[in-house]
Amino acid sequence: MASGYLSRLMSTPEAQPENTMEAIVSLAKRRGFVFQSSEIYGGFNGFFDYGPLGVELKKNIRDCWWNDMVRRRDDVVGIETSIIMHPKVWEASGHVAGFTDPLVDCKVSKNRYRADQLFWSPVVVDGNVVGYVSALESEKTTEELQAAAESLKRKKAIQGTLAPVVAKDFTEASAEQVSLIPSPATGNPDLTPPRSFNMMFQTNVGAMTDASSVAYLRPETAQGMFVDFKNVVDTNRVKLPFGIAQIGKSFRNEITPRNFIFRSREFEQMEMEYFIHEDADWDKCHKEWIEWCRQWLLSIGLPESHLSLYAHPKEKLAFYSRGTVDIMFKYPFGVQELWGIAARGSYDLTQHANASGKPQELFDEASKKKFVPHVIEPAVGVDRIFLAVLAAGYAEEDVTDEKGNVEKRTVLRLSPRIAPVKVAILPLLKNKEILTNRAKALYTKLKRNYAVQYDDGGAIGKRYRRQDEAGTPWCVTIDFDTIEKPGDTFTLRERDSMKQTRVTETELFALLAEQVY
Ligand code: GAP
């Protein structure tokens, strides 16, 4: 899926500012990609709104995935299931009992932490433990712990050799250590032992608000595919192996939503359950899907250098999982999970068969036996892809104008497949009807198929910069040559190289048809 053109669309590290995250958040707000939810009331932690450019970018990510995953394949069908499902779904799936994170409270500051994101180390001088230090998970956790250990040694005026810190997460602390490890908020040992916190949002359905009316906002879209498995099989001519895909909102009461839209409480997932025969080579199928997902990320412009694979260690796998591999992305705040591809065996269908009393089996013509299909599940968050394309595409460059002045340009190198605006139509002068009429005619024609913008405000250089920041791959200028010279050509300016060429309308449409798919 990745073309040579797309793999050029990445920013070099030199073109990225030191604090890329800050720059991205600021651009996202300034240009209307992402806003804090309920901002006029001070915001609402873990929730975000997408502005006019943001919704277009998000929709393009979704559409590309849907086209490639569902429409362009013969073995995957799509569905859309409800966000609030029967509460028994979440009992059967194991979410009511087990969809938990370990929560730690600071008794004094009232801050809450995820125990597996709160790190600590004993401070060891000449082989003796002289205290404890703590730090929150970040790229620099070990350095912060080391600095805290040195500071503690200095403060207590202890002589001797300080051993290097050994970072452990809070779930690994003994009861005695829990009572000695300082809270990151107060610096004193004010932390509670970790306890399980269920991340599902609860609500009540109907007029009664008692235990019988409790329901949940779905924490994943996947269960919709399992619960509707038989409906899809009975109403479509699907044959194994085949997949059921869905895009939709999911909700998790994350203890520590963070890193902008990376971990939020309301987010969107694109998941696909690929059903295979119980005797099929699941490992081969798993590997094929991992590679499919990787290629797809390249096809929307993510640089290969930022992608890596992480295989979950066998001893840490969920009991039903045969193998899980995450595609990791190098975000500005560290390498983090972007896309999880899990081999889930027959766990989910079996659970729902047992809980509902409705068998979830298929008939094998060859062996004349019924069996429960197994599943490979690629599951990704739209918002995480959104942040990845912003992070990889953001650049600040020094450019020299025609007069030799050096100025800074901010550019978002988004793939034409997902860029919110594909082409900006710029009449050279706003008040020359001969130019604006031609520009409007082209704009109207392009608008039928593509997201285009008409921009006649300000100097042409300023207009180019505006479009660079919005990630628009091409600007088309209608100038006097368009009108006066034969051929009806326009100036096509390419965002990344800033090169200008002359093209006809036919050539422009051909370029778009090739690059926007
Ligand atoms: N059905 C399997 C499942 O939901 P997951 O690893 O919990 O697996 C899949 O979630 C993907 O959803 C993740 O790889 C990530 O891209 C996205 N995701 C999960 N939690 C998220 C959150 N709090 N905010 C944004 N995206 C999230």
Side-chain angles (χ1 to χ4, degrees), residues 65-67 69-81 224-225 228 231-233 235-236 238 242-247 271-273 275:
W65 187 88
W66 191 260
N67 285 335
M69 178 62 92
V70 181
R71 292 192 176 159
R72 292 176 182 143
R73 294 187 67 102
D74 297 326
D75 57 350
V76 178
V77 294
I79 57 169
E80 188 175 307
T81 65
M225 275 81 95
D228 270 345
N231 279 337
V232 172
V233 169
T235 55
N236 289 265
V238 286
F242 74 90
I244 310 179
Q246 163 159 232
I247 300 179
E271 297 196 280
M272 195 275 296
E273 308 301 326
F275 298 96

Side-chain angles (χ1 to χ4, degrees), residues 220 252 254 262 264 267 269 271 337-338 377 381 384:
E220 62 171 21
R252 295 183 189 178
E254 297 280 357
F262 177 82
S264 51
F267 55 99
Q269 287 186 308
E271 297 196 280
E337 173 189 339
L338 173 58
E377 176 197 73
R384 281 202 190 169

Side-chain angles (χ1 to χ4, degrees), residues 95 99 199 219-223 226 250-254 257-258 260-271 273 312 320 324 326-327 331 337-342 344 377-385:
H95 283 80
F99 193 59
M199 288 198 287
E220 62 171 21
T221 58
Q223 295 306 320
F226 296 122
S250 292
F251 303 82
R252 295 183 189 178
N253 197 0
E254 297 280 357
R258 59 191 180 147
F260 196 33
I261 53 174
F262 177 82
R263 187 183 305 288
S264 51
R265 289 177 165 141
E266 173 178 339
F267 55 99
E268 205 164 359
Q269 287 186 308
M270 307 194 287
E271 297 196 280
E273 308 301 326
H312 290 223
Y320 55 80
T324 299
D326 292 337
I327 300 181
Y331 288 96
E337 173 189 339
L338 173 58
W339 200 329
I341 301 109
R344 299 176 69 112
E377 176 197 73
V380 68
V382 182
D383 315 76
R384 281 202 190 169
I385 296 178

Side-chain angles (χ1 to χ4, degrees), residues 32 58 74 125 138-139 176 234 280 403 440 446 490 492:
K58 210 167 171 220
D74 297 326
V125 178
S138 77
E139 277 290 271
E176 195 200 337
D234 294 345
K403 293 179 192 143
K440 280 181 187 156
L446 280 167
F490 326 110
L492 179 81

Side-chain angles (χ1 to χ4, degrees), residues 62 87 103 107 109 111 139 145 163 212 217 228 293 325 372 422 466 494-495:
R62 265 193 245 118
L103 169 71
K107 288 174 273 187
S109 70
N111 281 2
E139 277 290 271
L145 288 174
S212 69
L217 302 195
D228 270 345
C293 298
V325 170
V372 182
K422 309 300 180 195
R466 252 199 310 266
E494 207 251 338
R495 178 196 61 206

Side-chain angles (χ1 to χ4, degrees), residues 106-107 109 111 113 118 134 180-191:
C106 171
K107 288 174 273 187
S109 70
N111 281 2
Y113 306 103
L118 172 54
S134 65
L180 296 170
I181 295 167
S183 159
T186 61
N188 297 318
D190 299 322
L191 298 170

Side-chain angles (χ1 to χ4, degrees), residues 45 117 187 467 469:
N45 195 11
Q117 293 173 352
Q467 296 298 333
E469 265 198 347

